[in-house]
Amino acid sequence: MAKSLVDFLEELDSNAELKESYLKDPVATAKNYGLTDEEVAIIKNKDWDTVRKQFENLGSDPKVHTH
């Protein structure tokens, strides 16, 4: 199964190593995780409205992190 942006953001909450890498370089971390170019662009552009919509489509509430 391909990893999605939702998977990535959920794993950030529980994986300290991934979170540390993300805080240093969010775009490279997203690419290395295997996200699509479109999903990496969401991270790069900090398009949190798109992220919120993806969680809403799953019926989940996103956790908001500010870094």
Side-chain angles (χ1 to χ4, degrees), residues 29-40:
T29 303
K31 286 180 183 179
N32 291 339
Y33 190 78
L35 297 183
T36 65
D37 290 341
E38 182 179 293
E39 292 169 324
V40 171

Side-chain angles (χ1 to χ4, degrees), residues 1-15 18 22 29-30 33-36 38-40 42-43 47-65:
M1 181 169 103
K3 295 179 180 179
S4 71
L5 179 58
V6 172
D7 296 331
F8 175 69
L9 295 173
E10 287 179 340
E11 189 166 342
L12 273 177
D13 193 43
S14 62
N15 182 328
L18 183 65
Y22 175 82
T29 303
Y33 190 78
L35 297 183
T36 65
E38 182 179 293
E39 292 169 324
V40 171
I42 292 169
I43 298 292
D47 186 358
W48 307 131
D49 287 334
T50 298
V51 171
R52 187 174 298 112
K53 288 175 188 174
Q54 288 192 17
F55 275 91
E56 286 172 356
N57 290 340
L58 294 174
S60 300
D61 291 327
K63 293 182 180 179
V64 177
H65 295 276

